[in-house]
Amino acid sequence: MSTGELCIEGLRAGIPGREILQGVTLTVRSGEVHAVMGPNGSGKSTLAHVLMGRPGYEVLDGSVTLDGIDLLSLPTWQRARAGLFLGMQHPIEVPGVSLTRTLLAARAPVADDGSHRPEKEMDVRLHDEARRIGFDERFLDRPLNVDLSGGERKRNETLQLGVLRPRFAILDEIDSGLDVDALGAVGRRVEEATTEWGLGVLAITHFRRLLNVLHPDVVHVLSEGRVVATGSSELAELVDRTGYAAYS
Ligand code: ADP
Ligand code: MG
């Protein structure tokens, strides 16, 4: 079971000429689920991108550490190696590369004992994870996300999470595009990961319905690039009932 923390402190970041995140501070510990809610344009996806190191964003101030390792100085692939995972709001199509090949490449060098994972083991895990979330196993060998519906792409992100077993996952609207059954399956899979291997989760979502399955320990409201409220799951219920007007 992994123990550790993803620590974001005073993070200010944006695109050239525009500061979007204006000092975000929060800490996610292993096994915890933190929900980040907030109106459109409040900087939720920017936070996800900056944490993972997407090109085009610049950090102005603050720090992000995973068990004390400074993530902001690392390229994206090394952040992934350190144990950070991003489930994207809009997963991209990668023609010519299958999910299976992608995961083999991502996973091979990071076996717990330093050895290479045999392909067979990966294959078993892939199919096992696919069944757990009702992901059509025919997609495993097809080009990544090509011609997949929005909901299938979100399941695909969840499948990658289950196979790669990162230490911390940022899930950017993993619930968008999912029907109610898929939402339950995806939410439960992530919830189980928090006890299975101590996954820490930063779940960006607009809606409380995900949080009925993936139970948040802490809820944050982001508005105009700042965390303006932090509370328990009751905060998500309040936002659901009254909207964001009180926080802007
Ligand atoms: P959210 O995910 O909360 O809806 P975003 O982080 O996507 O918000 O966006 C926050 C603000 O920053 C928005 O006004 C958005 O248009 C702007 N923004 C984010 N990324 C970029 C970018 N790469 N180029 C231009 N504007 C951006
Ligand atoms: Mg967004």
Side-chain angles (χ1 to χ4, degrees), residues 25-209:
T25 297
L26 62 94
T27 297
V28 183
R29 291 183 188 78
S30 295
E32 287 182 352
V33 176
H34 287 235
V36 175
M37 307 181 81
N40 288 325
S42 56
K44 303 183 299 298
S45 292
T46 300
L47 176 62
H49 292 317
V50 169
L51 291 177
M52 206 68 220
R54 181 176 176 156
Y57 292 90
E58 52 187 31
V59 173
L60 305 168
D61 199 11
S63 67
V64 179
T65 57
L66 197 162
D67 292 350
I69 300 168
D70 170 24
L71 289 187
L72 295 179
S73 65
L74 301 178
T76 296
W77 69 272
Q78 283 185 353
R79 298 184 196 199
R81 285 280 165 85
L84 193 64
F85 175 94
L86 171 62
M88 288 185 279
Q89 181 174 2
H90 303 291
I92 51 166
E93 295 186 5
V94 189
V97 182
S98 72
L99 173 62
T100 303
R101 298 289 346 150
T102 306
L103 289 176
L104 277 170
R107 178 130 181 107
V110 287
D112 302 336
D113 58 2
S115 65
H116 277 229
R117 297 245 173 205
E119 293 201 15
K120 179 93 174 69
E121 185 192 328
M122 166 70 78
D123 216 46
V124 169
R125 203 144 168 181
L126 256 172
H127 286 270
D128 182 43
E129 290 291 336
R131 279 190 292 269
R132 277 176 84 161
I133 55 166
F135 186 72
D136 191 330
E137 291 168 63
R138 286 175 308 177
F139 293 143
L140 298 179
D141 294 311
R142 294 227 325 245
L144 191 63
N145 288 324
V146 173
D147 295 331
L148 261 58
S149 73
E152 285 160 349
R153 289 178 191 210
K154 294 308 171 82
R155 268 188 275 212
N156 198 343
E157 298 289 285
T158 311
L159 179 81
Q160 293 170 45
L161 170 74
V163 172
L164 292 172
R165 298 187 164 222
R167 306 194 50 214
F168 291 91
I170 307 148
L171 305 177
D172 194 355
E173 298 195 21
I174 195 86
D175 47 351
S176 68
L178 294 179
D179 61 44
V180 62
D181 295 327
L183 182 77
V186 162
R188 269 193 302 280
R189 178 66 194 99
V190 178
E191 174 76 30
E192 281 164 15
T194 64
T195 48
E196 233 171 279
W197 69 86
L199 177 72
V201 182
L202 196 62
I204 295 167
T205 182
H206 272 299
F207 302 108
R208 198 181 55 130
R209 51 179 202 163

